[in-house]
Coordinates of all heavy atoms in Angstrom, one line a residue:
M1 N -17.0 5.4 -24.3 CA -16.7 6.6 -23.5 C -15.2 6.6 -23.1 O -14.7 5.6 -22.7 CB -17.5 6.6 -22.2 CG -17.9 7.9 -21.7 SD -19.0 7.7 -20.2 CE -20.4 8.6 -20.8
P2 N -14.5 7.7 -23.3 CA -13.1 7.8 -23.0 C -12.8 7.7 -21.5 O -13.7 8.0 -20.7 CB -12.6 9.1 -23.6 CG -13.9 9.9 -23.7 CD -15.0 9.0 -23.9
A3 N -11.6 7.4 -21.2 CA -11.1 7.3 -19.8 C -11.2 8.7 -19.2 O -11.1 9.7 -19.9 CB -9.7 6.8 -19.7
L4 N -11.4 8.8 -17.9 CA -11.6 10.1 -17.2 C -10.3 10.8 -16.9 O -10.3 11.9 -16.4 CB -12.5 9.9 -16.0 CG -13.9 9.4 -16.2 CD1 -14.6 9.1 -14.9 CD2 -14.7 10.4 -17.0
D5 N -9.2 10.1 -17.0 CA -7.9 10.7 -16.6 C -7.9 11.2 -15.2 O -7.7 12.4 -14.9 CB -7.5 11.8 -17.6 CG -6.1 12.3 -17.4 OD1 -5.3 11.6 -16.8 OD2 -5.9 13.5 -17.7
L6 N -8.1 10.3 -14.3 CA -8.1 10.6 -12.8 C -6.7 10.4 -12.2 O -6.1 9.4 -12.4 CB -9.1 9.7 -12.1 CG -10.6 9.8 -12.6 CD1 -11.4 8.9 -11.8 CD2 -11.1 11.2 -12.6
Q7 N -6.3 11.4 -11.5 CA -5.0 11.4 -10.8 C -5.2 11.7 -9.3 O -6.1 12.5 -9.0 CB -4.0 12.4 -11.4 CG -3.8 12.3 -12.9 CD -3.1 11.0 -13.2 OE1 -2.2 10.6 -12.5 NE2 -3.5 10.3 -14.3
V8 N -4.4 11.0 -8.5 CA -4.6 11.2 -7.0 C -3.4 12.0 -6.5 O -2.2 11.8 -6.9 CB -4.6 9.8 -6.3 CG1 -4.5 9.9 -4.8 CG2 -5.9 9.1 -6.7
S9 N -3.6 12.9 -5.6 CA -2.5 13.6 -4.9 C -2.9 13.7 -3.4 O -4.0 13.4 -3.0 CB -2.3 15.0 -5.5 OG -3.5 15.8 -5.2
N10 N -1.9 14.2 -2.7 CA -2.0 14.3 -1.2 C -2.6 13.1 -0.5 O -3.5 13.2 0.3 CB -2.9 15.6 -0.9 CG -2.3 16.8 -1.4 OD1 -1.1 17.0 -1.4 ND2 -3.1 17.7 -2.0
F11 N -2.1 11.9 -0.9 CA -2.6 10.6 -0.4 C -2.0 10.4 1.0 O -0.8 10.4 1.2 CB -2.2 9.5 -1.4 CG -2.9 8.2 -1.2 CD1 -4.1 8.0 -1.7 CD2 -2.3 7.3 -0.4 CE1 -4.8 6.8 -1.5 CE2 -2.9 6.0 -0.2 CZ -4.2 5.8 -0.7
K12 N -2.9 10.3 2.0 CA -2.5 10.0 3.3 C -3.3 8.9 4.0 O -4.5 9.0 4.0 CB -2.7 11.3 4.2 CG -1.8 12.5 3.7 CD -2.1 13.7 4.5 CE -1.3 14.9 4.0 NZ -1.8 15.5 2.8
C13 N -2.6 7.9 4.4 CA -3.3 6.8 5.1 C -3.5 7.2 6.5 O -2.6 7.5 7.3 CB -2.5 5.5 5.0 SG -2.5 4.9 3.3
R14 N -4.8 7.1 6.9 CA -5.2 7.4 8.3 C -6.4 6.5 8.6 O -7.5 7.0 8.7 CB -5.7 8.9 8.5 CG -4.6 9.9 8.2 CD -5.1 11.3 8.3 NE -4.2 12.2 7.7 CZ -4.5 13.3 7.2 NH1 -5.8 13.8 7.2 NH2 -3.6 14.1 6.6
P15 N -6.1 5.2 8.9 CA -7.2 4.3 9.2 C -8.1 4.7 10.3 O -7.6 5.1 11.4 CB -6.5 3.0 9.4 CG -5.2 3.1 8.8 CD -4.8 4.6 8.9
R16 N -9.4 4.7 10.1 CA -10.4 5.0 11.2 C -11.7 4.5 10.7 O -12.2 4.8 9.6 CB -10.5 6.5 11.5 CG -10.9 7.3 10.3 CD -10.3 8.8 10.4 NE -10.8 9.5 9.2 CZ -10.2 9.5 8.0 NH1 -9.2 8.8 7.8 NH2 -10.7 10.3 7.1
G17 N -12.3 3.6 11.4 CA -13.5 2.9 11.0 C -13.3 2.2 9.7 O -12.4 1.5 9.5
T18 N -14.2 2.5 8.7 CA -14.0 1.9 7.4 C -13.1 2.8 6.5 O -12.6 2.3 5.5 CB -15.4 1.8 6.6 OG1 -16.0 3.0 6.5 CG2 -16.3 0.8 7.4
A19 N -12.8 4.0 6.9 CA -11.9 4.9 6.2 C -10.5 4.4 6.2 O -10.0 4.1 7.3 CB -12.0 6.3 6.7
V20 N -9.8 4.4 5.1 CA -8.5 3.9 5.0 C -7.5 5.1 4.8 O -6.5 5.2 5.4 CB -8.3 2.8 3.9 CG1 -6.9 2.4 3.8 CG2 -9.3 1.7 4.2
C21 N -7.8 5.9 3.8 CA -6.9 6.9 3.3 C -7.7 8.1 2.8 O -8.9 8.0 2.4 CB -6.0 6.5 2.2 SG -5.0 5.1 2.6
D22 N -7.1 9.3 2.9 CA -7.7 10.6 2.4 C -6.8 11.0 1.2 O -5.6 10.7 1.2 CB -7.6 11.7 3.5 CG -8.4 11.3 4.7 OD1 -9.5 10.9 4.6 OD2 -7.8 11.5 5.8
F23 N -7.5 11.7 0.2 CA -6.7 12.1 -0.9 C -7.5 13.2 -1.7 O -8.7 13.4 -1.5 CB -6.4 10.9 -1.8 CG -7.6 10.2 -2.4 CD1 -8.1 10.5 -3.7 CD2 -8.2 9.2 -1.7 CE1 -9.2 9.9 -4.2 CE2 -9.3 8.6 -2.2 CZ -9.8 8.9 -3.4
D24 N -6.8 13.8 -2.6 CA -7.5 14.7 -3.6 C -7.5 14.0 -4.9 O -6.6 13.3 -5.3 CB -6.7 16.0 -3.7 CG -6.6 16.8 -2.3 OD1 -7.5 16.6 -1.5 OD2 -5.7 17.6 -2.2
L25 N -8.5 14.3 -5.6 CA -8.7 13.6 -6.9 C -8.8 14.7 -8.0 O -9.6 15.6 -8.0 CB -10.0 12.8 -6.9 CG -10.3 11.9 -8.1 CD1 -9.3 10.8 -8.2 CD2 -11.7 11.3 -8.0
H26 N -7.8 14.6 -9.0 CA -7.8 15.5 -10.1 C -8.4 14.8 -11.3 O -8.1 13.7 -11.7 CB -6.3 15.8 -10.5 CG -5.5 16.4 -9.3 ND1 -5.2 17.7 -9.3 CD2 -5.1 15.8 -8.2 CE1 -4.5 18.0 -8.2 NE2 -4.5 16.8 -7.5
I27 N -9.4 15.5 -11.9 CA -10.1 15.0 -13.1 C -9.6 15.8 -14.3 O -10.0 16.9 -14.6 CB -11.6 15.3 -12.9 CG1 -12.1 14.6 -11.6 CG2 -12.4 14.7 -14.1 CD1 -13.5 15.0 -11.2
G28 N -8.5 15.2 -14.9 CA -7.8 15.9 -15.9 C -8.6 16.4 -17.1 O -8.3 17.5 -17.6
A29 N -9.6 15.6 -17.5 CA -10.3 16.0 -18.7 C -11.0 17.4 -18.6 O -11.2 18.1 -19.6 CB -11.4 14.9 -19.0
I30 N -11.3 17.8 -17.4 CA -12.0 19.1 -17.2 C -11.3 20.0 -16.2 O -11.8 21.1 -15.9 CB -13.5 18.9 -16.7 CG1 -13.5 18.1 -15.4 CG2 -14.3 18.2 -17.8 CD1 -14.9 18.0 -14.8
G31 N -10.1 19.6 -15.7 CA -9.3 20.4 -14.9 C -9.9 20.7 -13.5 O -9.7 21.7 -12.9
L32 N -10.7 19.7 -13.0 CA -11.3 19.9 -11.7 C -10.5 19.1 -10.6 O -10.1 17.9 -10.8 CB -12.8 19.3 -11.8 CG -13.6 19.3 -10.5 CD1 -13.9 20.8 -10.1 CD2 -14.9 18.5 -10.7
V33 N -10.3 19.7 -9.4 CA -9.7 19.0 -8.3 C -10.8 18.9 -7.2 O -11.4 19.9 -6.8 CB -8.5 19.8 -7.8 CG1 -7.9 19.1 -6.6 CG2 -7.5 20.0 -8.9
T34 N -11.0 17.6 -6.8 CA -12.0 17.3 -5.7 C -11.2 17.0 -4.5 O -10.5 16.0 -4.4 CB -12.9 16.2 -6.2 OG1 -13.4 16.5 -7.4 CG2 -13.9 15.9 -5.1
R35 N -11.2 17.9 -3.5 CA -10.4 17.7 -2.3 C -11.2 17.0 -1.2 O -12.4 17.2 -1.2 CB -9.9 19.1 -1.8 CG -9.1 19.8 -2.8 CD -8.3 21.0 -2.2 NE -7.7 21.8 -3.2 CZ -6.6 21.5 -3.8 NH1 -6.0 20.4 -3.6 NH2 -6.1 22.3 -4.7
G36 N -10.5 16.2 -0.5 CA -11.2 15.5 0.7 C -11.9 14.2 0.3 O -12.9 13.9 1.0
C37 N -11.5 13.5 -0.7 CA -12.0 12.2 -1.0 C -11.5 11.2 0.0 O -10.4 11.4 0.6 CB -11.6 11.7 -2.4 SG -12.3 12.8 -3.7
V38 N -12.2 10.1 0.2 CA -11.8 9.1 1.2 C -12.0 7.7 0.6 O -13.0 7.4 0.0 CB -12.7 9.2 2.5 CG1 -12.3 8.1 3.5 CG2 -12.7 10.5 3.1
L39 N -10.9 6.9 0.7 CA -10.9 5.5 0.3 C -11.4 4.7 1.5 O -10.8 4.8 2.6 CB -9.6 5.0 -0.1 CG -9.4 3.6 -0.6 CD1 -10.3 3.3 -1.8 CD2 -8.0 3.2 -0.8
H40 N -12.4 3.9 1.4 CA -13.0 3.0 2.4 C -12.8 1.6 2.1 O -12.6 1.2 1.0 CB -14.5 3.3 2.6 CG -14.9 4.6 3.1 ND1 -15.0 4.8 4.5 CD2 -15.1 5.8 2.5 CE1 -15.4 6.1 4.7 NE2 -15.4 6.7 3.5
F41 N -12.8 0.7 3.2 CA -12.8 -0.7 3.0 C -13.7 -1.4 4.0 O -13.5 -1.1 5.2 CB -11.4 -1.3 3.1 CG -11.3 -2.8 2.9 CD1 -11.4 -3.3 1.6 CD2 -11.4 -3.6 4.0 CE1 -11.4 -4.7 1.4 CE2 -11.4 -5.0 3.8 CZ -11.4 -5.5 2.5
Q42 N -14.5 -2.2 3.6 CA -15.3 -3.1 4.4 C -15.8 -4.3 3.5 O -16.8 -4.1 2.8 CB -16.5 -2.5 5.1 CG -17.2 -3.4 6.1 CD -18.3 -2.6 6.8 OE1 -18.7 -1.5 6.5 NE2 -18.7 -3.3 7.9
S43 N -15.0 -5.3 3.3 CA -15.2 -6.4 2.4 C -14.9 -6.0 0.9 O -14.7 -6.9 0.1 CB -16.6 -7.1 2.5 OG -17.6 -6.3 1.9
H44 N -14.9 -4.8 0.6 CA -14.5 -4.3 -0.7 C -14.1 -2.8 -0.5 O -14.4 -2.1 0.4 CB -15.5 -4.4 -1.8 CG -16.7 -3.5 -1.5 ND1 -17.7 -3.8 -0.6 CD2 -17.1 -2.4 -2.1 CE1 -18.6 -2.8 -0.6 NE2 -18.2 -1.9 -1.5
Y45 N -13.3 -2.3 -1.5 CA -12.9 -0.9 -1.5 C -13.9 0.0 -2.2 O -14.5 -0.5 -3.2 CB -11.5 -0.7 -2.2 CG -10.4 -1.1 -1.3 CD1 -9.8 -2.4 -1.6 CD2 -9.9 -0.4 -0.3 CE1 -8.7 -2.8 -0.8 CE2 -8.8 -0.8 0.4 CZ -8.2 -2.0 0.2 OH -7.2 -2.4 0.9
W46 N -14.1 1.2 -1.8 CA -14.9 2.2 -2.5 C -14.4 3.6 -2.1 O -13.8 3.8 -1.1 CB -16.4 2.1 -2.2 CG -16.9 2.6 -0.9 CD1 -17.4 3.8 -0.6 CD2 -16.9 1.8 0.3 NE1 -17.7 3.9 0.7 CE2 -17.5 2.7 1.3 CE3 -16.6 0.5 0.7 CZ2 -17.7 2.3 2.6 CZ3 -16.7 0.1 2.0 CH2 -17.3 1.0 3.0
V47 N -14.7 4.6 -3.0 CA -14.3 5.9 -2.8 C -15.6 6.7 -2.4 O -16.6 6.6 -3.0 CB -13.7 6.5 -4.0 CG1 -13.6 8.1 -4.0 CG2 -12.3 6.0 -4.2
Q48 N -15.4 7.6 -1.4 CA -16.5 8.5 -1.0 C -16.0 9.9 -1.4 O -14.9 10.3 -1.0 CB -16.7 8.4 0.5 CG -17.8 9.4 1.0 CD -19.1 9.1 0.5 OE1 -19.6 7.9 0.6 NE2 -19.8 10.0 -0.1
L49 N -16.8 10.6 -2.1 CA -16.5 12.0 -2.5 C -16.8 12.9 -1.3 O -17.4 12.4 -0.3 CB -17.4 12.4 -3.7 CG -17.1 11.6 -5.0 CD1 -18.1 12.0 -6.1 CD2 -15.7 11.8 -5.4
P50 N -16.3 14.1 -1.3 CA -16.4 15.0 -0.2 C -17.9 15.1 0.3 O -18.8 15.1 -0.5 CB -15.9 16.3 -0.7 CG -15.1 16.0 -1.9 CD -15.6 14.8 -2.5
A51 N -18.0 15.2 1.6 CA -19.3 15.4 2.2 C -19.3 16.5 3.2 O -18.2 16.8 3.8 CB -19.8 14.1 2.8
A52 N -20.4 17.2 3.5 CA -20.5 18.2 4.5 C -21.2 17.6 5.7 O -22.3 17.0 5.6 CB -21.3 19.4 3.9
E53 N -20.6 17.8 6.8 CA -21.1 17.3 8.1 C -22.2 18.3 8.6 O -22.0 19.5 8.5 CB -20.0 17.2 9.1 CG -20.4 16.6 10.4 CD -19.3 16.4 11.4 OE1 -18.1 16.5 11.0 OE2 -19.6 16.1 12.5
Y54 N -23.2 17.8 9.2 CA -24.2 18.6 9.9 C -24.8 17.8 11.0 O -24.7 16.6 11.1 CB -25.3 19.1 8.9 CG -26.2 18.0 8.4 CD1 -27.5 17.8 9.0 CD2 -25.8 17.2 7.3 CE1 -28.3 16.7 8.5 CE2 -26.6 16.2 6.8 CZ -27.9 16.0 7.4 OH -28.7 15.0 6.9
I55 N -25.5 18.4 11.9 CA -26.2 17.8 13.1 C -27.7 17.9 12.8 O -28.3 18.9 12.5 CB -25.9 18.5 14.4 CG1 -24.4 18.5 14.6 CG2 -26.6 17.8 15.6 CD1 -23.7 17.2 14.7
D56 N -28.4 16.7 12.8 CA -29.8 16.7 12.5 C -30.6 17.1 13.7 O -30.1 17.4 14.7 CB -30.2 15.3 12.0 CG -30.1 14.2 13.0 OD1 -30.0 14.5 14.2 OD2 -30.2 13.0 12.6
G57 N -31.9 17.2 13.5 CA -32.8 17.6 14.6 C -32.7 16.8 15.9 O -33.0 17.3 17.0
A58 N -32.3 15.6 15.8 CA -32.2 14.7 17.0 C -30.8 14.8 17.6 O -30.5 14.1 18.6 CB -32.5 13.3 16.6
G59 N -29.9 15.7 17.0 CA -28.6 15.8 17.6 C -27.6 14.8 17.1 O -26.5 14.7 17.6
N60 N -27.9 14.1 16.0 CA -27.0 13.1 15.4 C -26.2 13.7 14.3 O -26.6 14.5 13.5 CB -27.9 11.9 14.9 CG -28.7 11.2 15.9 OD1 -28.2 10.9 17.0 ND2 -29.9 11.0 15.6
R61 N -24.9 13.2 14.3 CA -24.0 13.7 13.3 C -24.4 13.0 12.0 O -24.5 11.8 11.9 CB -22.6 13.2 13.7 CG -21.5 13.6 12.8 CD -20.2 13.2 13.5 NE -19.1 13.4 12.5 CZ -18.0 12.7 12.5 NH1 -17.8 11.7 13.4 NH2 -17.1 12.9 11.7
Q62 N -24.6 13.8 10.9 CA -24.9 13.3 9.6 C -24.0 13.9 8.5 O -23.3 14.9 8.8 CB -26.4 13.7 9.3 CG -27.4 13.2 10.2 CD -27.6 11.7 10.1 OE1 -27.4 11.1 9.1 NE2 -27.9 11.0 11.2
F63 N -24.1 13.4 7.3 CA -23.3 13.9 6.2 C -24.2 14.1 5.0 O -25.0 13.2 4.7 CB -22.1 13.0 5.9 CG -21.1 12.9 7.0 CD1 -21.2 12.0 8.0 CD2 -20.0 13.8 7.1 CE1 -20.3 11.9 9.1 CE2 -19.1 13.8 8.1 CZ -19.3 12.9 9.1
R64 N -23.9 15.1 4.2 CA -24.7 15.4 3.0 C -23.7 15.4 1.9 O -22.6 16.0 2.0 CB -25.5 16.7 3.2 CG -25.4 17.7 2.2 CD -26.2 19.0 2.4 NE -27.0 19.1 3.5 CZ -26.7 19.8 4.7 NH1 -25.6 20.4 4.8 NH2 -27.6 19.8 5.7
H65 N -24.0 14.9 0.7 CA -23.2 14.9 -0.5 C -22.9 16.3 -0.9 O -23.9 17.1 -1.0 CB -23.8 14.1 -1.6 CG -23.9 12.6 -1.3 ND1 -22.8 11.8 -1.3 CD2 -25.0 11.9 -1.0 CE1 -23.2 10.5 -1.0 NE2 -24.5 10.6 -0.8
V66 N -21.7 16.6 -1.3 CA -21.4 17.9 -1.8 C -21.5 17.8 -3.4 O -22.0 18.8 -4.0 CB -19.9 18.3 -1.5 CG1 -19.5 19.6 -2.2 CG2 -19.8 18.4 0.1
L67 N -21.1 16.7 -3.9 CA -21.2 16.5 -5.4 C -22.2 15.3 -5.6 O -22.1 14.3 -4.9 CB -19.9 16.1 -6.0 CG -18.8 17.1 -5.8 CD1 -17.4 16.6 -6.3 CD2 -19.1 18.4 -6.6
T68 N -23.0 15.4 -6.6 CA -24.0 14.3 -6.9 C -24.0 14.1 -8.4 O -23.5 15.0 -9.2 CB -25.4 14.6 -6.5 OG1 -25.9 15.8 -7.1 CG2 -25.5 14.8 -5.0
F69 N -24.5 13.0 -8.8 CA -24.6 12.6 -10.2 C -26.1 12.5 -10.6 O -26.8 11.9 -9.8 CB -23.9 11.3 -10.5 CG -22.4 11.3 -10.4 CD1 -21.8 11.2 -9.1 CD2 -21.6 11.5 -11.5 CE1 -20.4 11.2 -9.0 CE2 -20.2 11.5 -11.4 CZ -19.6 11.4 -10.2
E70 N -26.4 13.0 -11.7 CA -27.8 12.9 -12.2 C -28.1 11.5 -12.8 O -29.2 11.0 -12.8 CB -28.1 13.9 -13.2 CG -28.1 15.3 -12.7 CD -28.4 16.4 -13.7 OE1 -28.3 16.1 -14.9 OE2 -28.7 17.5 -13.3
D71 N -27.0 10.8 -13.3 CA -27.1 9.5 -13.9 C -26.4 8.5 -13.1 O -25.2 8.6 -12.8 CB -26.5 9.7 -15.3 CG -26.5 8.4 -16.1 OD1 -27.6 8.0 -16.6 OD2 -25.5 7.7 -16.2
E72 N -27.1 7.4 -12.8 CA -26.5 6.3 -11.9 C -25.4 5.6 -12.6 O -24.4 5.2 -12.0 CB -27.6 5.3 -11.5 CG -28.4 5.7 -10.3 CD -27.5 5.9 -9.1 OE1 -26.7 5.1 -8.7 OE2 -27.7 7.0 -8.4
S73 N -25.4 5.4 -13.9 CA -24.4 4.7 -14.6 C -23.1 5.6 -14.6 O -22.0 5.1 -14.5 CB -24.8 4.3 -16.0 OG -25.0 5.4 -16.8
A74 N -23.3 6.9 -14.8 CA -22.1 7.8 -14.7 C -21.5 7.8 -13.3 O -20.3 7.8 -13.2 CB -22.5 9.2 -15.1
K75 N -22.3 7.8 -12.3 CA -21.9 7.7 -10.9 C -21.1 6.4 -10.7 O -20.0 6.5 -10.1 CB -23.1 7.8 -10.0 CG -22.7 7.6 -8.5 CD -24.0 7.7 -7.7 CE -23.7 7.4 -6.2 NZ -24.9 7.4 -5.4
R76 N -21.6 5.3 -11.1 CA -21.0 4.0 -10.9 C -19.6 4.0 -11.6 O -18.6 3.6 -11.0 CB -21.9 2.9 -11.4 CG -21.4 1.5 -11.1 CD -22.4 0.4 -11.5 NE -23.2 0.7 -12.7 CZ -24.5 1.1 -12.6 NH1 -25.1 1.4 -11.5 NH2 -25.1 1.3 -13.8
R77 N -19.6 4.5 -12.9 CA -18.3 4.5 -13.6 C -17.3 5.4 -13.0 O -16.1 5.0 -12.8 CB -18.6 5.0 -15.1 CG -17.3 5.0 -15.9 CD -17.6 5.4 -17.3 NE -16.3 5.6 -17.9 CZ -16.0 6.7 -18.5 NH1 -16.8 7.7 -18.7 NH2 -14.8 6.8 -19.1
F78 N -17.7 6.6 -12.6 CA -16.8 7.5 -11.9 C -16.2 6.9 -10.6 O -15.0 6.9 -10.4 CB -17.5 8.8 -11.6 CG -16.6 9.8 -10.9 CD1 -15.8 10.7 -11.7 CD2 -16.5 9.9 -9.6 CE1 -14.9 11.6 -11.1 CE2 -15.7 10.8 -9.0 CZ -14.9 11.7 -9.7
K79 N -17.1 6.3 -9.8 CA -16.6 5.8 -8.5 C -15.7 4.6 -8.8 O -14.7 4.4 -8.0 CB -17.8 5.4 -7.6 CG -18.4 6.7 -7.1 CD -19.2 6.4 -5.9 CE -19.5 7.7 -5.1 NZ -19.9 7.4 -3.8
E80 N -16.0 3.8 -9.8 CA -15.1 2.6 -10.1 C -13.7 3.1 -10.5 O -12.7 2.6 -10.0 CB -15.7 1.8 -11.2 CG -16.9 0.9 -10.7 CD -17.6 0.3 -11.9 OE1 -17.3 0.5 -13.1 OE2 -18.6 -0.5 -11.6
E81 N -13.7 4.1 -11.4 CA -12.4 4.6 -11.9 C -11.6 5.4 -10.7 O -10.4 5.3 -10.6 CB -12.6 5.6 -13.1 CG -13.0 4.8 -14.3 CD -12.8 5.6 -15.6 OE1 -11.9 6.4 -15.7 OE2 -13.6 5.3 -16.5
A82 N -12.4 6.1 -9.9 CA -11.8 6.8 -8.8 C -11.2 5.8 -7.8 O -10.1 6.0 -7.2 CB -12.8 7.7 -8.1
T83 N -11.9 4.7 -7.5 CA -11.4 3.6 -6.6 C -10.1 3.0 -7.2 O -9.2 2.8 -6.4 CB -12.5 2.6 -6.4 OG1 -13.6 3.2 -5.8 CG2 -12.0 1.5 -5.5
R84 N -10.1 2.7 -8.5 CA -8.9 2.2 -9.1 C -7.7 3.1 -9.0 O -6.6 2.7 -8.6 CB -9.1 1.8 -10.6 CG -9.9 0.5 -10.8 CD -9.8 0.0 -12.2 NE -10.5 0.9 -13.1 CZ -11.8 0.8 -13.4 NH1 -12.6 -0.1 -12.9 NH2 -12.3 1.7 -14.3
A85 N -7.9 4.4 -9.2 CA -6.9 5.4 -9.1 C -6.4 5.5 -7.6 O -5.2 5.6 -7.4 CB -7.4 6.8 -9.5
A86 N -7.3 5.4 -6.6 CA -6.9 5.5 -5.2 C -6.1 4.2 -4.9 O -5.1 4.3 -4.1 CB -8.1 5.6 -4.3
L87 N -6.5 3.1 -5.3 CA -5.8 1.8 -5.0 C -4.4 1.9 -5.7 O -3.4 1.4 -5.0 CB -6.6 0.6 -5.5 CG -7.8 0.3 -4.7 CD1 -8.6 -0.8 -5.3 CD2 -7.5 0.0 -3.3
R88 N -4.2 2.4 -6.9 CA -2.9 2.6 -7.5 C -2.0 3.5 -6.6 O -0.9 3.2 -6.4 CB -3.0 3.1 -8.9 CG -3.5 2.1 -9.9 CD -3.3 2.7 -11.3 NE -3.9 3.9 -11.6 CZ -5.2 4.1 -12.0 NH1 -5.9 3.0 -12.3 NH2 -5.7 5.3 -12.2
A89 N -2.6 4.6 -6.1 CA -1.8 5.5 -5.2 C -1.5 4.8 -3.9 O -0.3 5.0 -3.4 CB -2.7 6.7 -4.9
M90 N -2.3 4.0 -3.4 CA -2.0 3.2 -2.1 C -0.9 2.2 -2.4 O 0.0 2.1 -1.6 CB -3.3 2.5 -1.6 CG -3.0 1.9 -0.2 SD -4.5 1.3 0.6 CE -5.1 0.0 -0.5
E91 N -0.9 1.5 -3.5 CA 0.2 0.6 -3.8 C 1.5 1.3 -4.0 O 2.5 0.9 -3.5 CB -0.2 -0.2 -5.1 CG -1.3 -1.2 -5.0 CD -1.7 -1.8 -6.3 OE1 -1.0 -1.5 -7.3 OE2 -2.8 -2.4 -6.3
A92 N 1.5 2.5 -4.7 CA 2.7 3.3 -4.9 C 3.2 3.8 -3.5 O 4.4 3.8 -3.3 CB 2.4 4.4 -5.8
A93 N 2.3 4.1 -2.6 CA 2.8 4.6 -1.3 C 3.4 3.6 -0.5 O 4.2 3.9 0.4 CB 1.6 5.2 -0.5
H94 N 3.1 2.3 -0.7 CA 3.7 1.2 0.0 C 4.9 0.5 -0.6 O 5.4 -0.5 -0.2 CB 2.6 0.1 0.3 CG 1.6 0.6 1.3 ND1 0.4 1.2 1.0 CD2 1.6 0.7 2.7 CE1 -0.2 1.6 2.1 NE2 0.5 1.3 3.1
E95 N 5.3 1.1 -1.7 CA 6.5 0.5 -2.4 C 7.8 1.0 -1.8 O 7.9 2.0 -1.3 CB 6.4 0.9 -3.9 CG 5.4 0.1 -4.7 CD 5.4 0.4 -6.2 OE1 6.0 1.4 -6.6 OE2 4.7 -0.3 -6.9

């Protein structure tokens, strides 16, 4: 499978909880921009795609996925590549 050609823009470090930085993710192969991605860290790095906030019936703050994957291996591959792209952007921001 070819590389996804992921590019990061609007990278802003705003540490809060496990969240480290916010950014937009450009998926070059299909011309899609995913705004509001978050790089997290808690023993390892991972990328969270945009989520919609809502309040559940008990009054608790919850989040629902905006984008989902039908295939777990595609999801894993995408998140791994997105995490690598975000870490490259974080390194570049600290140079």
